[in-house]
Amino acid sequence: MTTSAQQYTGISGLLHVPSAEMHREGDARIGGQFMNRDMTPGRIFQLNGKKYHTFDYYLAITPFKWVEASYVCTAFLRNSPNGKRRFKEKDRYFSLKVNPLTEGKYWPAIAFGCNDWFDSRSGVDGNGEGGELYFANLYVAATKHFHIGGNEVGTHLAYRHFKRDYNHRWNGVVGGLTIRPASIQNLRAIVEWTGNEINVGADYNLWHHWAVQASVWNGKHFFGGVCYYLNLF
């Protein structure tokens, strides 16, 4: 059995876009993602006036078939006293996804979710300043699958709102298509619209416990990751 692709949050979804797909009940996942500088918040992940590539890592679990949760750490690059640049600090946040309606023959699955919505230091900050909440967003997503010639085609549509103004380019209607070809088991091809970019990529499940993902951001830059998953049930 294949799992949905891990997002940079560790929650099931497409590449940067949420979906209403869910991981298997009981799945626990630990993984990491290389994050190209184009997919990080504009004025936050900078050093000496220049944006930099970074990475994150996460621990995620699906305790029930209708809910997923993850804990995510994203690395900050900083100047050291010896003049070298090092990843010395990290931003930490929680992600949550709830699936109140499962997919049926005539209707899509529906899911609600949030990432980084509550700041551990100062609580919810409604004015867009203070606190952290660099990745904070809310979304509602719908997913419907079709089988065509033995291939599974997934259609995904979502509405997303980021809390910080510097992430506004990803607000609004987003979505994408996924294809699981009958001829290549455990492979899922993905194309998505983030609200600002078109991304393409694929993920592949290996040896029943590993998932790898490779993607191209807006046709220009690589991003991707690896995940180890285990069903606790």
Side-chain angles (χ1 to χ4, degrees):
M1 167 141 183
T2 60
T3 66
S4 303
Q6 70 270 19
Q7 287 181 286
Y8 64 97
T9 61
I11 298 293
S12 59
L14 304 185
L15 303 171
H16 191 265
V17 168
S19 77
E21 289 184 325
M22 302 291 287
H23 289 294
R24 295 177 303 174
E25 183 177 16
D27 268 6
R29 299 170 299 284
I30 183 170
Q33 182 103 354
F34 168 76
M35 301 177 69
N36 185 279
R37 55 176 168 252
D38 286 346
M39 68 180 296
T40 56
R43 64 182 181 85
I44 302 303
F45 290 82
Q46 295 188 20
L47 184 64
N48 303 328
K50 295 182 179 180
K51 291 196 70 178
Y52 55 83
H53 305 310
T54 186
F55 64 92
D56 73 2
Y57 50 94
Y58 55 80
L59 178 64
I61 191 168
T62 308
F64 308 103
K65 63 181 181 180
W66 50 270
V67 63
E68 293 182 19
S70 70
Y71 179 67
V72 188
C73 295
T74 308
F76 285 115
L77 190 63
R78 295 290 185 256
N79 287 317
S80 298
N82 61 9
K84 294 183 179 180
R85 302 192 305 168
R86 294 181 179 177
F87 289 100
K88 298 177 61 177
E89 302 175 12
K90 56 183 175 289
D91 174 59
R92 295 168 288 190
Y93 64 88
F94 289 97
S95 293
L96 181 68
K97 181 178 179 180
V98 178
N99 175 220
L101 180 66
T102 58
E103 183 176 345
K105 183 177 181 180
Y106 300 109
W107 60 86
I110 301 293
F112 301 89
C114 65
N115 301 310
D116 198 16
W117 198 252
F118 298 100
D119 181 13
S120 60
R121 297 185 304 173
S122 57
V124 174
D125 180 5
N127 61 13
E129 299 296 337
E132 297 176 348
L133 310 178
Y134 305 134
F135 299 94
N137 70 88
L138 298 172
Y139 63 86
V140 55
T143 290
K144 187 73 176 76
H145 294 93
F146 302 91
H147 289 87
I148 303 173
N151 306 301
E152 182 189 82
V153 178
T155 58
H156 312 273
L157 187 67
Y159 182 84
R160 179 170 58 184
H161 177 73
F162 277 82
K163 192 176 190 69
R164 299 305 194 203
D165 287 343
Y166 46 71
N167 293 325
H168 70 89
R169 65 189 184 277
W170 297 319
N171 284 343
V173 177
V174 299
L177 293 174
T178 56
I179 300 176
R180 288 190 171 97
S183 59
I184 308 177
Q185 293 186 354
N186 300 332
L187 174 70
R188 185 173 77 153
I190 307 163
V191 58
E192 67 174 17
W193 166 248
T194 69
N196 191 66
E197 301 93 5
I198 296 177
N199 302 328
V200 295
D203 48 44
Y204 192 80
N205 290 68
L206 299 166
W207 309 306
H208 304 291
H209 293 292
W210 289 93
V212 294
Q213 185 180 88
S215 313
V216 179
W217 184 270
N218 206 27
K220 299 177 181 178
H221 307 296
F222 168 82
F223 71 104
V226 61
C227 168
Y228 178 82
Y229 61 92
L230 180 69
N231 192 274
L232 302 178
F233 296 169

